[in-house]
Amino acid sequence: GHRLNDGFWHSVQLVARDGSAVVTIDDEDGAEFRVAHPFQLRTGSQYFFGGCPKPASITGCRSNQTAFHGCLQMLNVDMQPVDVELLVEQRLGQYYNVYFNVCGITDRCTPNLCEHDSRCIQSWDDFMCICDLTGYKGETCHKSLYKESCDAYRVSGKTSGNYTIDPDGSGPLKPFTVYCDIREDRAWTIIRHNRHYATRVTGSSVDQPYLGAVEYWNASWAEVSALANASEYCEQRIELHCYSSRLLNTPSGLPFSFWMGRHDERHYYWGGSRPGIQRCACGLDKNCADPQYFCNCDADHPLWRTDKGLLTFVDHLPVTQVVIGDTNRTGSEAQFLLGPLRCYGDRNTWNTVSFNRGAALLFPTFQANHSLDISFYFKTTALSGVFLENPGSRNYIRIELNTTRDVVFAYDIGNGDENLTVRSDVPWNDDEWHQVKAELNVKLARLRVDKLPWVVRPAPPQSFVHLEFDRPLYVGAAEHKMRPFLGCLRALRMNGVTLNLEGKANETEGVRVNCTGHCQDPPVPCQNSGLCVERYSHYSCNCSISAFEGPFCNHDIGGYFEEGTWVRYNILPMSLYAAREFASIISSPWQPLPGYNLTSEEVSFSFSTTSAPAVLLYVSTFVKDYMAVLIKDDGSLQLRYQLGTSPYVFALTTKPVTDGRPHRVNITRLHRTLYTQVDYLPIIEQQFSLFVDSKLDSPKNLYLGRVMETGVIDPEIQRYNTPGFSGCLSGVKFNSLVPLKAIFRPTSPVRPYSIRGELVESNCASMLPLTTILIPPEMDPWYMD
């Protein structure tokens, strides 16, 4: 047998025959022990249960085994039950230190204190939890083995692949496997499902609609919802292809079709539209097939129409069901498909408040049961303060900054007041972020701050923890406002649930949303799309999505182009373009890649030159569309667009820009609206013709300095393509692509670019900002005083 001292009942059977013997334990297959060689077994008139009494010379029992401690029942000898009542009366035998009709072993596995479906085994005076194959660890299998998101794997240095995540940590929801698309600045969590390919629907009506349930791979709706709820951003593409089949009808009419989201709520807006309005994307763009309606399908035409777009309101996602209700007429048919749920970011990590006047946030009573884990970050300059407390008539827990160097976890779980203290050599009130972790279960209590060692207190033997609180949870102070906390708290999680501190904050009571940190009013703002990141005692600028670098993303990265030098940067490789085309044929959703956006572009760069003509920047596509910024023969700057049928030309300047001085160009297109700015002149807004397609279809390559594209090139572009640009380019950005930064500051072994000619790093095209950035001396690395 295995672990027969686990405190449970086990059966033992010995069957001896002439020349053979079999011992069977618990009637399990494979638990028999057989003796097959010839032997003789002789028994006398006495059987001893539990051990041999002393002296052996009188009893005849000569076993050297120690006495048995435990319980026996249902004794049978030669198929005859032993009458225990006769034993009690000593008419059938004798006994010593035996208690009848009672078993003195405590069942330590009832109730089972092992969590998450783990197995409980016990010995005479203790129990253990077997966490194998549960996805959890710890004394009671309370803590998750897996990280809460793909972004957590990104921070730990992982690359793209399949990973198991557990968004609610030690909560009741199980871990599940997702695909993590890990990039430099973020990690997309992708969950697929059974509606990835088109589902054909006929014969449905409003009264008897088709119910297309969405079953996510490896995860339940609740688990996927937990991921979406904890994410900063989520999106899910939804499409309906219709033939004489209506979708939403009118904004005031009963919709024929809709989709179900989180909490089984119906949603009557379609992809590309916004919550609260019954429209599709074309209803917002005002380009639906029938101007009277707000969806292409609602035109009810006997030909194939499509309504599609992204659902991005994270509190409504994931999509759990698509309901189709207008395909029961002659010839009516619909096909719908749903893209995978894609999420990034963690909106729990920076759920932050600051306590300014000693107020407390009140939350419902913490339901801890047998185990609890608490984690949060704090930042303060105060001498002491209570982070949180949940009082009760019998039990309580409290975590506080007791002195400037002591963090204390105090509790009473039925054994009186106890506490753990983490002591630091340096003060905690240094206005830096510090992480606190506390755990309590039937086995032990422990506390940790930052990377210091755990302080552990084992629980008394044979203890039983059942935490019962009957009063609210106080955050930022104790029940009686004892030593209230002054400072910032964020990312408070209790048993895997993130408490919405920001949702409870009330500035009139002295609790403000966010921490009054450096990013709220930085001494030097991050420039050029740089993102401000709060640090322990300062802030930094994340320049990963910027074409600039430096402490404030204000240093250009540029190059000097000799005449004839050019750069080609791959936007969409041919293999992926083929995959996109194939996806459109089989009606599969296509997820855009970095730099790829059909209906809008953002372009910015600086240049300086004395020569003309020249092509500064050119974006090619797999079709005839293109975008080009060029210098004409007279030195003026021109923007050319090919969107669909014919080129569209915009004059960016009337004066020459070939004066050898730096010039800055900013271009933004949103559908048919164009915004342009050269240097620091006012922004100019212009409109494309209504007959121009609003999509730059299938971007392929980005060229700098010259166009060396295969195939047919617009003759007007060819006119300005020779002899090639000579001068400087810097700070080049097309959507999220930064080609010169990828060349001179590579972060990946993959080279998505090719260079011909001599390209040397140079900042000769850098422009001074309109206003000088005033850098405080303590933040200036070149300050020498």
mmCIF file of all heavy atoms in Angstrom, residues 111-120 127-144 169-172 174 367-373 439-443 465 495-496:
data_model
loop_
_atom_site.group_PDB
_atom_site.id
_atom_site.type_symbol
_atom_site.label_atom_id
_atom_site.label_comp_id
_atom_site.label_asym_id
_atom_site.label_seq_id
_atom_site.Cartn_x
_atom_site.Cartn_y
_atom_site.Cartn_z
ATOM 1 N N PRO A 111 -13.457 18.928 7.522
ATOM 2 C CA PRO A 111 -13.537 19.344 6.119
ATOM 3 C C PRO A 111 -12.151 19.423 5.478
ATOM 4 O O PRO A 111 -11.149 19.573 6.185
ATOM 5 C CB PRO A 111 -14.170 20.733 6.206
ATOM 6 C CG PRO A 111 -13.746 21.241 7.544
ATOM 7 C CD PRO A 111 -13.749 20.051 8.457
ATOM 8 N N ASN A 112 -12.130 19.341 4.164
ATOM 9 C CA ASN A 112 -10.879 19.345 3.423
ATOM 10 C C ASN A 112 -10.371 20.783 3.314
ATOM 11 O O ASN A 112 -10.976 21.615 2.636
ATOM 12 C CB ASN A 112 -11.099 18.736 2.037
ATOM 13 C CG ASN A 112 -9.789 18.594 1.271
ATOM 14 O OD1 ASN A 112 -8.722 18.924 1.781
ATOM 15 N ND2 ASN A 112 -9.875 18.098 0.055
ATOM 16 N N LEU A 113 -9.266 21.083 3.963
ATOM 17 C CA LEU A 113 -8.689 22.418 3.915
ATOM 18 C C LEU A 113 -7.739 22.594 2.738
ATOM 19 O O LEU A 113 -7.150 23.661 2.581
ATOM 20 C CB LEU A 113 -7.941 22.707 5.221
ATOM 21 C CG LEU A 113 -8.788 22.646 6.497
ATOM 22 C CD1 LEU A 113 -7.947 23.017 7.709
ATOM 23 C CD2 LEU A 113 -9.997 23.556 6.399
ATOM 24 N N CYS A 114 -7.562 21.568 1.943
ATOM 25 C CA CYS A 114 -6.755 21.665 0.725
ATOM 26 C C CYS A 114 -7.603 22.278 -0.379
ATOM 27 O O CYS A 114 -8.707 21.806 -0.655
ATOM 28 C CB CYS A 114 -6.237 20.296 0.310
ATOM 29 S SG CYS A 114 -5.216 19.498 1.564
ATOM 30 N N GLU A 115 -7.091 23.299 -1.046
ATOM 31 C CA GLU A 115 -7.878 24.072 -2.000
ATOM 32 C C GLU A 115 -7.647 23.620 -3.435
ATOM 33 O O GLU A 115 -6.743 22.844 -3.729
ATOM 34 C CB GLU A 115 -7.535 25.559 -1.850
ATOM 35 C CG GLU A 115 -7.771 26.107 -0.447
ATOM 36 C CD GLU A 115 -7.403 27.567 -0.340
ATOM 37 O OE1 GLU A 115 -7.875 28.367 -1.171
ATOM 38 O OE2 GLU A 115 -6.642 27.912 0.571
ATOM 39 N N HIS A 116 -8.512 24.150 -4.313
ATOM 40 C CA HIS A 116 -8.394 23.958 -5.757
ATOM 41 C C HIS A 116 -8.329 22.476 -6.139
ATOM 42 O O HIS A 116 -7.510 22.059 -6.956
ATOM 43 C CB HIS A 116 -7.176 24.698 -6.305
ATOM 44 C CG HIS A 116 -7.242 26.183 -6.091
ATOM 45 N ND1 HIS A 116 -6.422 26.836 -5.201
ATOM 46 C CD2 HIS A 116 -8.051 27.123 -6.621
ATOM 47 C CE1 HIS A 116 -6.703 28.121 -5.214
ATOM 48 N NE2 HIS A 116 -7.692 28.328 -6.064
ATOM 49 N N ASP A 117 -9.216 21.692 -5.532
ATOM 50 C CA ASP A 117 -9.378 20.268 -5.866
ATOM 51 C C ASP A 117 -8.115 19.451 -5.606
ATOM 52 O O ASP A 117 -7.894 18.417 -6.248
ATOM 53 C CB ASP A 117 -9.813 20.092 -7.331
ATOM 54 C CG ASP A 117 -11.149 20.744 -7.610
ATOM 55 O OD1 ASP A 117 -12.007 20.740 -6.715
ATOM 56 O OD2 ASP A 117 -11.332 21.278 -8.720
ATOM 57 N N SER A 118 -7.288 19.910 -4.696
ATOM 58 C CA SER A 118 -6.104 19.121 -4.341
ATOM 59 C C SER A 118 -6.492 18.009 -3.371
ATOM 60 O O SER A 118 -7.563 18.030 -2.769
ATOM 61 C CB SER A 118 -5.027 20.020 -3.734
ATOM 62 O OG SER A 118 -5.520 20.671 -2.581
ATOM 63 N N ARG A 119 -5.592 17.041 -3.197
ATOM 64 C CA ARG A 119 -5.874 15.857 -2.399
ATOM 65 C C ARG A 119 -5.292 16.005 -1.002
ATOM 66 O O ARG A 119 -4.167 16.466 -0.826
ATOM 67 C CB ARG A 119 -5.295 14.618 -3.092
ATOM 68 C CG ARG A 119 -5.671 13.285 -2.448
ATOM 69 C CD ARG A 119 -5.412 12.144 -3.423
ATOM 70 N NE ARG A 119 -4.036 12.090 -3.848
ATOM 71 C CZ ARG A 119 -3.097 11.345 -3.258
ATOM 72 N NH1 ARG A 119 -3.414 10.599 -2.200
ATOM 73 N NH2 ARG A 119 -1.863 11.314 -3.719
ATOM 74 N N CYS A 120 -6.072 15.633 -0.003
ATOM 75 C CA CYS A 120 -5.653 15.709 1.393
ATOM 76 C C CYS A 120 -5.250 14.319 1.881
ATOM 77 O O CYS A 120 -5.981 13.349 1.689
ATOM 78 C CB CYS A 120 -6.789 16.264 2.260
ATOM 79 S SG CYS A 120 -6.423 16.310 4.031
ATOM 80 N N PHE A 127 -1.847 16.859 8.590
ATOM 81 C CA PHE A 127 -2.324 16.546 7.242
ATOM 82 C C PHE A 127 -1.432 17.267 6.239
ATOM 83 O O PHE A 127 -0.745 18.240 6.578
ATOM 84 C CB PHE A 127 -3.789 16.956 7.055
ATOM 85 C CG PHE A 127 -3.990 18.439 6.877
ATOM 86 C CD1 PHE A 127 -4.059 19.007 5.612
ATOM 87 C CD2 PHE A 127 -4.124 19.274 7.982
ATOM 88 C CE1 PHE A 127 -4.239 20.372 5.450
ATOM 89 C CE2 PHE A 127 -4.303 20.632 7.828
ATOM 90 C CZ PHE A 127 -4.359 21.185 6.562
ATOM 91 N N MET A 128 -1.440 16.796 5.019
ATOM 92 C CA MET A 128 -0.697 17.422 3.937
ATOM 93 C C MET A 128 -1.591 17.511 2.714
ATOM 94 O O MET A 128 -2.501 16.694 2.531
ATOM 95 C CB MET A 128 0.566 16.625 3.598
ATOM 96 C CG MET A 128 1.636 16.673 4.663
ATOM 97 S SD MET A 128 3.200 15.985 4.068
ATOM 98 C CE MET A 128 2.682 14.343 3.616
ATOM 99 N N CYS A 129 -1.316 18.507 1.890
ATOM 100 C CA CYS A 129 -2.067 18.702 0.650
ATOM 101 C C CYS A 129 -1.183 18.334 -0.528
ATOM 102 O O CYS A 129 -0.052 18.814 -0.643
ATOM 103 C CB CYS A 129 -2.528 20.150 0.522
ATOM 104 S SG CYS A 129 -3.653 20.676 1.839
ATOM 105 N N ILE A 130 -1.697 17.483 -1.404
ATOM 106 C CA ILE A 130 -0.984 17.074 -2.625
ATOM 107 C C ILE A 130 -1.466 17.970 -3.757
ATOM 108 O O ILE A 130 -2.611 17.867 -4.216
ATOM 109 C CB ILE A 130 -1.234 15.597 -2.948
ATOM 110 C CG1 ILE A 130 -0.882 14.726 -1.729
ATOM 111 C CG2 ILE A 130 -0.426 15.185 -4.162
ATOM 112 C CD1 ILE A 130 0.548 14.848 -1.277
ATOM 113 N N CYS A 131 -0.601 18.896 -4.199
ATOM 114 C CA CYS A 131 -0.985 19.911 -5.198
ATOM 115 C C CYS A 131 -0.704 19.471 -6.628
ATOM 116 O O CYS A 131 -0.930 20.265 -7.560
ATOM 117 C CB CYS A 131 -0.245 21.222 -4.915
ATOM 118 S SG CYS A 131 -0.447 21.869 -3.245
ATOM 119 N N ASP A 132 -0.211 18.252 -6.836
ATOM 120 C CA ASP A 132 0.181 17.817 -8.171
ATOM 121 C C ASP A 132 -0.974 17.973 -9.164
ATOM 122 O O ASP A 132 -2.124 17.613 -8.875
ATOM 123 C CB ASP A 132 0.627 16.349 -8.140
ATOM 124 C CG ASP A 132 1.826 16.138 -7.233
ATOM 125 O OD1 ASP A 132 2.426 17.143 -6.816
ATOM 126 O OD2 ASP A 132 2.139 14.978 -6.913
ATOM 127 N N LEU A 133 -0.647 18.537 -10.330
ATOM 128 C CA LEU A 133 -1.577 18.666 -11.464
ATOM 129 C C LEU A 133 -2.747 19.612 -11.178
ATOM 130 O O LEU A 133 -3.726 19.622 -11.925
ATOM 131 C CB LEU A 133 -2.130 17.293 -11.885
ATOM 132 C CG LEU A 133 -1.086 16.225 -12.236
ATOM 133 C CD1 LEU A 133 -1.773 14.913 -12.598
ATOM 134 C CD2 LEU A 133 -0.191 16.689 -13.375
ATOM 135 N N THR A 134 -2.664 20.422 -10.133
ATOM 136 C CA THR A 134 -3.739 21.381 -9.850
ATOM 137 C C THR A 134 -3.445 22.764 -10.411
ATOM 138 O O THR A 134 -4.354 23.569 -10.613
ATOM 139 C CB THR A 134 -3.969 21.515 -8.335
ATOM 140 O OG1 THR A 134 -2.795 22.068 -7.732
ATOM 141 C CG2 THR A 134 -4.273 20.168 -7.716
ATOM 142 N N GLY A 135 -2.176 23.081 -10.637
ATOM 143 C CA GLY A 135 -1.805 24.423 -11.068
ATOM 144 C C GLY A 135 -1.578 25.372 -9.905
ATOM 145 O O GLY A 135 -1.441 26.577 -10.116
ATOM 146 N N TYR A 136 -1.537 24.828 -8.683
ATOM 147 C CA TYR A 136 -1.356 25.670 -7.500
ATOM 148 C C TYR A 136 -0.262 25.078 -6.620
ATOM 149 O O TYR A 136 0.148 23.930 -6.784
ATOM 150 C CB TYR A 136 -2.673 25.793 -6.723
ATOM 151 C CG TYR A 136 -3.736 26.509 -7.522
ATOM 152 C CD1 TYR A 136 -4.546 25.817 -8.415
ATOM 153 C CD2 TYR A 136 -3.913 27.884 -7.402
ATOM 154 C CE1 TYR A 136 -5.506 26.479 -9.173
ATOM 155 C CE2 TYR A 136 -4.868 28.551 -8.144
ATOM 156 C CZ TYR A 136 -5.661 27.848 -9.027
ATOM 157 O OH TYR A 136 -6.606 28.494 -9.764
ATOM 158 N N LYS A 137 0.187 25.861 -5.653
ATOM 159 C CA LYS A 137 1.275 25.447 -4.770
ATOM 160 C C LYS A 137 0.999 25.986 -3.374
ATOM 161 O O LYS A 137 0.032 26.708 -3.140
ATOM 162 C CB LYS A 137 2.614 25.978 -5.285
ATOM 163 C CG LYS A 137 2.682 27.509 -5.326
ATOM 164 C CD LYS A 137 4.005 28.003 -5.886
ATOM 165 C CE LYS A 137 4.034 29.539 -5.956
ATOM 166 N NZ LYS A 137 5.306 30.047 -6.494
ATOM 167 N N GLY A 138 1.882 25.621 -2.454
ATOM 168 C CA GLY A 138 1.757 26.102 -1.090
ATOM 169 C C GLY A 138 1.263 25.036 -0.144
ATOM 170 O O GLY A 138 0.937 23.911 -0.544
ATOM 171 N N GLU A 139 1.195 25.398 1.126
ATOM 172 C CA GLU A 139 0.825 24.442 2.158
ATOM 173 C C GLU A 139 -0.585 23.899 1.956
ATOM 174 O O GLU A 139 -0.869 22.743 2.255
ATOM 175 C CB GLU A 139 0.941 25.092 3.544
ATOM 176 C CG GLU A 139 2.346 25.500 3.926
ATOM 177 C CD GLU A 139 2.801 26.767 3.211
ATOM 178 O OE1 GLU A 139 1.929 27.510 2.699
ATOM 179 O OE2 GLU A 139 4.013 27.004 3.142
ATOM 180 N N THR A 140 -1.488 24.734 1.459
ATOM 181 C CA THR A 140 -2.868 24.296 1.214
ATOM 182 C C THR A 140 -3.246 24.429 -0.264
ATOM 183 O O THR A 140 -4.426 24.503 -0.591
ATOM 184 C CB THR A 140 -3.850 25.102 2.084
ATOM 185 O OG1 THR A 140 -3.728 26.495 1.756
ATOM 186 C CG2 THR A 140 -3.575 24.899 3.560
ATOM 187 N N CYS A 141 -2.235 24.469 -1.154
ATOM 188 C CA CYS A 141 -2.474 24.617 -2.611
ATOM 189 C C CYS A 141 -3.287 25.877 -2.888
ATOM 190 O O CYS A 141 -4.240 25.862 -3.671
ATOM 191 C CB CYS A 141 -3.174 23.380 -3.177
ATOM 192 S SG CYS A 141 -2.359 21.821 -2.774
ATOM 193 N N HIS A 142 -2.875 26.965 -2.251
ATOM 194 C CA HIS A 142 -3.623 28.224 -2.340
ATOM 195 C C HIS A 142 -3.071 29.152 -3.420
ATOM 196 O O HIS A 142 -3.828 29.843 -4.083
ATOM 197 C CB HIS A 142 -3.574 28.920 -0.972
ATOM 198 C CG HIS A 142 -4.284 30.232 -0.917
ATOM 199 N ND1 HIS A 142 -5.660 30.344 -0.946
ATOM 200 C CD2 HIS A 142 -3.806 31.504 -0.829
ATOM 201 C CE1 HIS A 142 -5.997 31.619 -0.876
ATOM 202 N NE2 HIS A 142 -4.899 32.337 -0.812
ATOM 203 N N LYS A 143 -1.759 29.152 -3.617
ATOM 204 C CA LYS A 143 -1.124 30.104 -4.525
ATOM 205 C C LYS A 143 -0.980 29.516 -5.919
ATOM 206 O O LYS A 143 -0.623 28.351 -6.085
ATOM 207 C CB LYS A 143 0.259 30.486 -3.994
ATOM 208 C CG LYS A 143 0.219 31.197 -2.659
ATOM 209 C CD LYS A 143 -0.319 32.607 -2.773
ATOM 210 C CE LYS A 143 0.651 33.503 -3.500
ATOM 211 N NZ LYS A 143 0.130 34.889 -3.593
ATOM 212 N N SER A 144 -1.227 30.356 -6.927
ATOM 213 C CA SER A 144 -1.144 29.891 -8.309
ATOM 214 C C SER A 144 0.309 29.718 -8.736
ATOM 215 O O SER A 144 1.198 30.475 -8.340
ATOM 216 C CB SER A 144 -1.839 30.881 -9.240
ATOM 217 O OG SER A 144 -1.747 30.449 -10.583
ATOM 218 N N GLY A 169 -5.366 34.731 -9.880
ATOM 219 C CA GLY A 169 -4.401 34.264 -8.906
ATOM 220 C C GLY A 169 -4.929 33.131 -8.051
ATOM 221 O O GLY A 169 -5.283 32.058 -8.548
ATOM 222 N N SER A 170 -5.021 33.368 -6.763
ATOM 223 C CA SER A 170 -5.472 32.336 -5.834
ATOM 224 C C SER A 170 -6.980 32.211 -5.784
ATOM 225 O O SER A 170 -7.510 31.436 -4.986
ATOM 226 C CB SER A 170 -4.945 32.640 -4.432
ATOM 227 O OG SER A 170 -5.418 33.903 -3.988
ATOM 228 N N GLY A 171 -7.687 32.951 -6.631
ATOM 229 C CA GLY A 171 -9.140 32.882 -6.661
ATOM 230 C C GLY A 171 -9.648 31.551 -7.177
ATOM 231 O O GLY A 171 -8.884 30.650 -7.536
ATOM 232 N N PRO A 172 -10.978 31.416 -7.285
ATOM 233 C CA PRO A 172 -11.561 30.109 -7.623
ATOM 234 C C PRO A 172 -11.434 29.709 -9.085
ATOM 235 O O PRO A 172 -11.576 28.535 -9.402
ATOM 236 C CB PRO A 172 -13.042 30.301 -7.246
ATOM 237 C CG PRO A 172 -13.273 31.774 -7.389
ATOM 238 C CD PRO A 172 -12.001 32.437 -6.973
ATOM 239 N N LYS A 174 -9.924 28.635 -12.630
ATOM 240 C CA LYS A 174 -8.769 27.792 -12.943
ATOM 241 C C LYS A 174 -7.841 28.474 -13.947
ATOM 242 O O LYS A 174 -8.280 29.303 -14.749
ATOM 243 C CB LYS A 174 -9.249 26.450 -13.495
ATOM 244 C CG LYS A 174 -10.030 25.613 -12.498
ATOM 245 C CD LYS A 174 -10.461 24.293 -13.113
ATOM 246 C CE LYS A 174 -11.238 23.441 -12.108
ATOM 247 N NZ LYS A 174 -11.661 22.149 -12.686
ATOM 248 N N GLN A 367 -14.176 37.878 2.824
ATOM 249 C CA GLN A 367 -14.543 36.473 3.011
ATOM 250 C C GLN A 367 -13.306 35.614 2.800
ATOM 251 O O GLN A 367 -12.985 35.210 1.693
ATOM 252 C CB GLN A 367 -15.651 36.083 2.014
ATOM 253 C CG GLN A 367 -16.891 36.938 2.115
ATOM 254 C CD GLN A 367 -17.577 36.832 3.459
ATOM 255 O OE1 GLN A 367 -17.576 35.774 4.094
ATOM 256 N NE2 GLN A 367 -18.186 37.926 3.912
ATOM 257 N N ALA A 368 -12.586 35.337 3.888
ATOM 258 C CA ALA A 368 -11.313 34.633 3.780
ATOM 259 C C ALA A 368 -11.457 33.129 3.915
ATOM 260 O O ALA A 368 -10.699 32.369 3.336
ATOM 261 C CB ALA A 368 -10.350 35.150 4.843
ATOM 262 N N ASN A 369 -12.400 32.668 4.746
ATOM 263 C CA ASN A 369 -12.588 31.248 5.014
ATOM 264 C C ASN A 369 -11.351 30.664 5.685
ATOM 265 O O ASN A 369 -10.990 31.079 6.770
ATOM 266 C CB ASN A 369 -12.959 30.506 3.736
ATOM 267 C CG ASN A 369 -13.727 29.230 4.040
ATOM 268 O OD1 ASN A 369 -13.968 28.914 5.196
ATOM 269 N ND2 ASN A 369 -14.108 28.514 3.015
ATOM 270 N N HIS A 370 -10.645 29.722 5.032
ATOM 271 C CA HIS A 370 -9.538 29.026 5.681
ATOM 272 C C HIS A 370 -8.165 29.571 5.297
ATOM 273 O O HIS A 370 -7.188 29.251 5.958
ATOM 274 C CB HIS A 370 -9.582 27.538 5.352
ATOM 275 C CG HIS A 370 -10.897 26.900 5.670
ATOM 276 N ND1 HIS A 370 -11.424 26.880 6.935
ATOM 277 C CD2 HIS A 370 -11.797 26.262 4.888
ATOM 278 C CE1 HIS A 370 -12.593 26.266 6.922
ATOM 279 N NE2 HIS A 370 -12.835 25.866 5.691
ATOM 280 N N SER A 371 -8.059 30.338 4.216
ATOM 281 C CA SER A 371 -6.771 30.843 3.749
ATOM 282 C C SER A 371 -6.935 32.261 3.241
ATOM 283 O O SER A 371 -7.999 32.630 2.735
ATOM 284 C CB SER A 371 -6.195 29.971 2.632
ATOM 285 O OG SER A 371 -6.010 28.642 3.056
ATOM 286 N N LEU A 372 -5.886 33.036 3.371
ATOM 287 C CA LEU A 372 -5.916 34.372 2.776
ATOM 288 C C LEU A 372 -4.521 34.713 2.280
ATOM 289 O O LEU A 372 -3.506 34.252 2.816
ATOM 290 C CB LEU A 372 -6.410 35.423 3.774
ATOM 291 C CG LEU A 372 -5.552 35.813 4.983
ATOM 292 C CD1 LEU A 372 -4.536 36.895 4.623
ATOM 293 C CD2 LEU A 372 -6.435 36.333 6.098
ATOM 294 N N ASP A 373 -4.479 35.516 1.228
ATOM 295 C CA ASP A 373 -3.241 36.124 0.773
ATOM 296 C C ASP A 373 -3.542 37.559 0.392
ATOM 297 O O ASP A 373 -4.589 37.849 -0.200
ATOM 298 C CB ASP A 373 -2.616 35.347 -0.392
ATOM 299 C CG ASP A 373 -3.416 35.459 -1.665
ATOM 300 O OD1 ASP A 373 -4.340 34.638 -1.863
ATOM 301 O OD2 ASP A 373 -3.137 36.364 -2.478
ATOM 302 N N GLU A 439 0.426 36.186 4.008
ATOM 303 C CA GLU A 439 -0.344 34.964 3.835
ATOM 304 C C GLU A 439 -0.683 34.382 5.196
ATOM 305 O O GLU A 439 0.088 34.519 6.153
ATOM 306 C CB GLU A 439 0.441 33.930 3.020
ATOM 307 C CG GLU A 439 0.723 34.355 1.581
ATOM 308 C CD GLU A 439 1.483 33.289 0.815
ATOM 309 O OE1 GLU A 439 1.264 32.092 1.109
ATOM 310 O OE2 GLU A 439 2.306 33.637 -0.041
ATOM 311 N N LEU A 440 -1.836 33.728 5.263
ATOM 312 C CA LEU A 440 -2.270 33.103 6.504
ATOM 313 C C LEU A 440 -3.115 31.889 6.154
ATOM 314 O O LEU A 440 -4.045 31.978 5.356
ATOM 315 C CB LEU A 440 -3.095 34.101 7.334
ATOM 316 C CG LEU A 440 -3.657 33.609 8.673
ATOM 317 C CD1 LEU A 440 -2.528 33.235 9.619
ATOM 318 C CD2 LEU A 440 -4.537 34.679 9.289
ATOM 319 N N ASN A 441 -2.776 30.724 6.748
ATOM 320 C CA ASN A 441 -3.564 29.516 6.557
ATOM 321 C C ASN A 441 -3.395 28.624 7.777
ATOM 322 O O ASN A 441 -2.772 29.017 8.779
ATOM 323 C CB ASN A 441 -3.181 28.784 5.257
ATOM 324 C CG ASN A 441 -1.706 28.434 5.192
ATOM 325 O OD1 ASN A 441 -1.152 27.829 6.116
ATOM 326 N ND2 ASN A 441 -1.046 28.830 4.098
ATOM 327 N N VAL A 442 -3.961 27.436 7.700
ATOM 328 C CA VAL A 442 -3.935 26.533 8.855
ATOM 329 C C VAL A 442 -2.527 26.061 9.193
ATOM 330 O O VAL A 442 -2.265 25.601 10.302
ATOM 331 C CB VAL A 442 -4.860 25.329 8.588
ATOM 332 C CG1 VAL A 442 -4.281 24.440 7.499
ATOM 333 C CG2 VAL A 442 -5.112 24.529 9.842
ATOM 334 N N LYS A 443 -1.602 26.193 8.266
ATOM 335 C CA LYS A 443 -0.236 25.724 8.479
ATOM 336 C C LYS A 443 0.680 26.803 9.040
ATOM 337 O O LYS A 443 1.546 26.518 9.867
ATOM 338 C CB LYS A 443 0.340 25.208 7.166
ATOM 339 C CG LYS A 443 -0.320 23.942 6.639
ATOM 340 C CD LYS A 443 0.129 22.749 7.434
ATOM 341 C CE LYS A 443 -0.305 21.454 6.754
ATOM 342 N NZ LYS A 443 0.209 20.274 7.468
ATOM 343 N N VAL A 465 -8.174 26.812 11.272
ATOM 344 C CA VAL A 465 -8.397 28.218 10.956
ATOM 345 C C VAL A 465 -9.728 28.368 10.230
ATOM 346 O O VAL A 465 -9.960 27.714 9.211
ATOM 347 C CB VAL A 465 -7.254 28.785 10.082
ATOM 348 C CG1 VAL A 465 -7.580 30.183 9.625
ATOM 349 C CG2 VAL A 465 -5.957 28.785 10.865
ATOM 350 N N ASN A 495 -6.863 37.492 -1.882
ATOM 351 C CA ASN A 495 -7.309 36.196 -2.411
ATOM 352 C C ASN A 495 -7.608 36.258 -3.906
ATOM 353 O O ASN A 495 -8.621 35.759 -4.382
ATOM 354 C CB ASN A 495 -8.521 35.688 -1.637
ATOM 355 C CG ASN A 495 -8.119 34.961 -0.362
ATOM 356 O OD1 ASN A 495 -6.955 34.933 0.000
ATOM 357 N ND2 ASN A 495 -9.077 34.364 0.310
ATOM 358 N N GLY A 496 -6.717 36.904 -4.627
ATOM 359 C CA GLY A 496 -6.806 36.945 -6.076
ATOM 360 C C GLY A 496 -7.728 37.996 -6.633
ATOM 361 O O GLY A 496 -7.791 38.174 -7.848
#
